[in-house]
Amino acid sequence: RRKFMFSYKKLEELLVKNNITPYALAKETGLYSTLFYDWKSKKSCPKMNKIKILADYFEVSVDYFLE
């Protein structure tokens, strides 16, 4: 199983670039805004299906979010 690291910094950059808040992103994607805060604080790491939802929303590749 491949290990990966999610880059919250890249998500933040996309939020700023697209002028969208974590709350608005949560509403648009159906994800919970609390997830984003958990990812930011490294309390949890997103599963690949959640990263795919974000990648589709921002029209970037899944790899964009991985380090």
Side-chain angles (χ1 to χ4, degrees):
R1 192 169 189 177
R2 197 177 131 209
K3 273 291 215 187
F4 62 88
M5 288 292 297
F6 175 76
S7 173
Y8 187 83
K9 185 174 190 282
K10 289 187 177 179
L11 175 57
E12 281 189 318
E13 288 169 0
L14 286 173
L15 290 172
V16 170
K17 181 179 170 188
N18 291 278
N19 196 29
I20 187 169
T21 65
Y23 177 76
L25 178 61
K27 283 190 73 166
E28 291 283 323
T29 59
L31 299 173
Y32 295 105
S33 58
T34 53
L35 277 177
F36 305 138
Y37 299 109
D38 287 349
W39 299 345
K40 183 176 184 177
S41 66
K42 299 199 184 321
K43 198 182 292 182
S44 69
C45 187
K47 291 185 172 32
M48 195 55 76
N49 65 328
K50 304 279 193 282
I51 297 172
K52 174 87 171 92
I53 291 169
L54 295 175
D56 289 347
Y57 179 82
F58 286 111
E59 299 179 343
V60 297
S61 69
V62 167
D63 287 342
Y64 177 84
F65 289 109
L66 307 180
E67 297 183 321

